[in-house]
C-alpha cells in the first residue's frame, strides 16, 4: 500500500487548510440541537458551500468539487484539524446524498443535491418506529397510493435532527399486505406538509436531538419516491452501508479525539493510575488503525469495489472506540468532572469531554445496534449458524 500523497493531493490539502484557517468561526457555535444553534450551523453550511466545500465528492454541477474519496479523507482531516463546527446536515450530505447519486433520477439530483450542499434544506432520518428499531423490517407506517400521491399514516420515532429539519427521508410500507423486507418504498417528504406533527425528544443533556413524527393522512407526490415502488429495502441498505461503512464517521473525527486525549493525559500524568497510560496508547493506535483501514476501503471503492457486510465491522469498531476514549478521558479527569455542577470548568474542556461521553453512549445503538451488527458478521461474514 503506497501511503504517499500525490502532488495534486498535497495541493488540495494546502488549499483546504488555508481556507479553513480563514473561515472557521473563532467562537464555538451553539449546539445544533437548539433552535438558535441549528440556524448558526445552517449558516456555516452556507459558508462552506461558498468555497465549494459543502460536499467535495459531488459533481461541480451539484455543488461539489468532483473529488475522489482520498481527497474527501484529506478534507476531513483538515476540517477536524481546524476545529470546524459539526455538520448539521450530515443526514443529507453523508447518507441521503450518496443514495441519491446511486438511485435518484436526473430531476431528483438537480432538485435536491445543490440545496442540500448549500444548507438550504436540512434533512432528518425517518427509520425507526415504536415497534421497529434496529429491526427495520418491522416497519408499519403505511404510504398508500392515491393517484399521483401517497397518503401516509403512522409514526416514526428517534428521528435524528427532526426537531428542526426541513425534510425527512425514510422507509414506508407501500404494500399494506406485505411483510418484513418486502413492499416498502423509500420516500422523501418536507416536514412542513399538512398532517405532520413533530414531538421533540430530549437527549441525556436535555436538548432535542431527536423527534417523534406523527403522520395523519399526509399527502406526498409520487415523484418524491426514490427508486421503484417496493425497492425501499435495498435502497435503505445502501444508505445504511454509507452510514456504517465510510461516510458518517470519518477517521479524522477519532484521530483528533485521540490527540486531545494524549494532551489531556500529559497535563495530568503525575496523578493518574499507571494503567491509564496503556489505555491512552491503545486509543491512539486504534484511531490510526481505523484511519488506515478507511484509506484501504476508499482505495478499493475508487478501483470499482463495493462496501459489503464489512461495514458492520467498521460500525462496531468506531462506536466502541469513541466510547472507550471518552471513558478514559473521564477517568483522567476524575472527580473534577463533577465540578461542572458548581460552575467550575477548565476553559470548556471538561464540558466538552463530558458531552462527548454522553453522546458516545449512543454510538453502539444508532446506525444499527452493535448486537445486530454482530449477528450480521456472524451469519454473513463468518457463515456461522443463526
Amino acid at each position: 500500500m503506497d501511503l504517499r500523497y500525490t502532488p495534486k493531493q498535497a495541493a488540495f490539502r494546502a488549499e483546504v487548510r488555508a481556507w479553513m484557517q480563514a473561515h472557521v468561526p473563532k467562537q464555538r457555535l451553539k449546539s445544533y440541537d437548539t433552535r438558535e444553534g441549528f440556524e448558526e450551523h445552517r449558516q456555516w453550511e452556507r459558508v462552506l458551500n461558498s468555497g465549494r466545500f459543502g460536499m467535495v465528492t459531488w459533481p461541480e454541477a451539484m455543488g461539489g468539487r468532483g473529488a475522489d474519496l482520498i481527497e474527501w479523507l484529506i478534507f476531513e482531516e483538515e476540517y477536524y484539524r481546524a476545529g470546524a463546527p459539526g455538520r448539521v446536515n450530515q443526514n443529507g450530505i453523508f447518507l441521503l446524498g450518496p443514495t441519491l447519486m446511486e438511485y435518484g433520477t436526473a430531476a431528483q439530483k438537480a432538485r435536491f443535491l445543490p440545496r442540500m450542499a448549500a444548507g438550504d434544506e436540512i434533512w432528518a432520518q425517518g427509520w425507526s418506529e415504536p415497534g421497529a428499531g434496529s429491526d427495520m423490517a418491522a416497519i408499519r407506517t403505511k404510504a398508500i397510493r392515491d393517484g399521483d400521491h401517497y397518503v401516509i399514516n403512522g409514526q416514526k420515532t428517534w428521528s435524528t435532527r427532526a426537531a428542526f429539519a426541513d425534510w425527512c427521508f425514510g422507509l414506508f410500507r407501500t404494500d399494506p399486505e406485505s411483510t418484513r423486507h418486502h413492499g416498502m418504498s423509500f420516500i422523501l417528504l418536507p416536514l412542513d406538509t399538512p398532517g405532520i406533527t413533530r414531538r421533540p425528544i430530549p437527549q441525556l443533556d436535555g436538548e432535542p436531538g431527536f423527534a417523534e413524527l406523527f403522520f395523519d393522512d399526509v399527502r406526498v407526490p409520487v415523484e418524491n419516491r426514490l427508486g421503484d415502488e417496493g425497492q425501499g429495502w435495498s435502497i435503505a441498505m445502501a444508505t445504511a452501508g454509507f452510514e456504517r461503512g465510510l461516510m458518517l464517521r470519518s477517521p479524522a473525527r477519532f484521530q483528533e479525539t485521540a490527540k486531545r486525549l494524549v494532551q489531556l493525559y500529559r497535563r495530568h500524568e503525575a496523578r493518574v493510575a499507571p494503567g491509564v497510560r496503556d489505555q491512552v496508547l491503545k486509543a491512539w493506535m486504534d484511531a490510526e488503525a481505523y484511519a488506515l483501514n478507511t484509506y484501504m476501503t476508499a482505495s478499493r471503492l475508487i478501483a470499482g469495489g463495493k462496501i459489503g457486510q464489512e461495514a458492520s465491522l467498521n460500525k462496531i469498531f468506531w462506536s466502541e472506540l469513541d466510547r472507550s476514549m471518552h471513558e478514559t478521558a473521564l477517568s483522567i479527569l476524575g472527580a473534577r468532572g463533577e465540578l461542572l455542577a458548581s460552575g467550575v470548568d477548565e476553559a470548556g474542556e471538561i464540558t466538552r469531554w463530558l458531552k462527548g461521553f454522553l453522546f458516545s453512549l449512543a454510538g453502539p445503538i444508532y446506525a444499527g445496534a452493535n448486537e445486530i451488527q454482530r449477528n450480521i458478521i456472524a451469519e454473513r461474514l463468518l457463515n456461522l449458524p443463526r
Side-chain angles (χ1 to χ4, degrees):
M1 186 173 186
D2 188 350
L3 299 177
R4 294 169 298 181
Y5 294 103
T6 66
K8 178 175 178 284
Q9 291 165 346
F12 179 67
R13 182 185 295 278
E15 180 190 356
V16 176
R17 183 172 296 186
W19 193 92
M20 291 295 167
Q21 288 174 346
H23 292 87
V24 169
K26 304 304 180 186
Q27 299 295 322
R28 187 174 293 275
L29 304 184
K30 294 181 175 62
S31 167
Y32 53 42
D33 291 326
T34 64
R35 169 58 76 182
E36 185 178 0
F38 189 91
E39 293 305 322
E40 287 182 358
H41 281 78
R42 186 198 296 273
Q43 182 57 36
W44 168 243
E45 293 292 330
R46 289 170 174 157
V47 172
L48 277 173
N49 187 62
S50 71
R52 294 191 300 119
F53 289 117
M55 190 53 185
V56 295
T57 58
W58 292 358
E60 293 185 18
M62 300 298 173
R65 285 173 167 254
D68 65 21
L69 288 173
I70 299 297
E71 291 169 323
W72 173 72
L73 288 168
I74 290 171
F75 169 80
E76 288 286 297
E77 289 167 4
E78 293 304 319
Y79 192 90
Y80 279 95
R81 179 185 180 277
R87 304 299 299 272
V88 69
N89 206 14
Q90 61 186 3
N91 290 323
I93 57 176
F94 294 146
L95 304 183
L96 179 59
T99 309
L100 271 166
M101 290 289 187
E102 187 167 345
Y103 293 96
T105 65
Q108 288 173 330
K109 293 174 187 177
R111 162 64 183 85
F112 292 111
L113 291 175
R115 295 182 63 79
M116 194 184 295
D120 293 334
E121 292 173 346
I122 308 296
W123 288 79
Q125 294 185 35
W127 300 132
S128 298
E129 298 182 4
S134 291
D135 182 16
M136 285 204 301
I139 281 173
R140 294 186 297 176
T141 298
K142 293 181 175 61
I144 305 303
R145 184 81 175 254
D146 180 24
D148 293 333
H149 288 77
Y150 288 110
V151 180
I152 300 178
N153 283 281
Q155 177 186 353
K156 298 288 182 180
T157 192
W158 301 115
S159 295
T160 309
R161 302 282 92 78
F164 308 117
D166 307 300
W167 281 72
C168 174
F169 64 86
L171 273 183
F172 300 87
R173 198 164 289 282
T174 46
D175 178 359
E177 305 302 320
S178 64
T179 59
R180 301 299 294 166
H181 310 90
H182 307 286
M184 290 189 284
S185 298
F186 196 111
I187 297 175
L188 320 175
L189 62 158
L191 287 175
D192 60 358
T193 304
I196 296 179
T197 301
R198 310 191 209 198
R199 182 179 296 167
I201 302 174
Q203 302 171 124
L204 283 171
D205 60 7
E207 295 175 351
F210 307 92
E212 292 178 287
L213 298 174
F214 297 88
F215 303 90
D216 295 294
D217 291 330
V218 175
R219 297 184 67 84
V220 179
V222 170
E223 65 187 26
N224 285 17
R225 185 189 68 226
L226 191 59
D228 295 331
E229 187 165 291
Q231 194 185 4
W233 181 260
S234 62
I235 298 175
M237 290 304 97
T239 308
F242 297 123
E243 184 175 32
R244 298 166 188 162
L246 189 66
M247 302 297 285
L248 182 64
R249 292 290 178 256
S250 73
R253 174 191 180 107
F254 306 109
Q255 288 174 300
E256 285 301 317
T257 302
K259 290 176 186 176
R260 289 176 49 232
L261 183 61
V262 170
Q263 293 165 1
L264 182 70
Y265 172 78
R266 285 175 173 163
R267 289 199 300 273
H268 302 286
E269 184 175 1
R271 64 171 195 82
V272 299
V276 174
R277 179 177 182 273
D278 290 341
Q279 295 172 19
V280 174
L281 285 169
K282 185 177 187 304
W284 189 89
M285 290 188 292
D286 284 351
E288 292 300 306
Y290 178 60
L292 291 171
N293 184 72
T294 304
Y295 268 96
M296 182 176 68
T297 300
S299 299
R300 191 177 76 247
L301 293 174
I302 290 171
K306 296 287 187 182
I307 296 179
Q309 304 305 332
E310 69 269 21
S312 295
L313 293 168
N314 285 351
K315 197 273 163 169
I316 291 173
F317 191 87
W318 59 249
S319 62
E320 296 185 354
L321 168 62
D322 194 35
R323 184 177 60 188
S324 68
M325 286 196 292
H326 283 87
E327 287 173 343
T328 301
L330 293 189
S331 72
I332 293 171
L333 290 168
R336 281 181 299 175
E338 300 174 6
L339 294 177
L340 284 170
S342 56
V344 180
D345 197 357
E346 297 178 357
E349 184 69 2
I350 295 176
T351 301
R352 189 175 177 188
W353 280 115
L354 185 57
K355 280 185 170 289
F357 169 70
L358 293 177
F359 185 79
S360 75
L361 297 177
I365 301 171
Y366 68 78
N370 284 7
E371 291 81 3
I372 300 297
Q373 303 313 309
R374 286 185 164 88
N375 281 346
I376 292 172
I377 292 165
E379 295 171 16
R380 301 179 192 176
L381 284 178
L382 302 178
N383 294 319
L384 297 176
R386 291 178 62 84

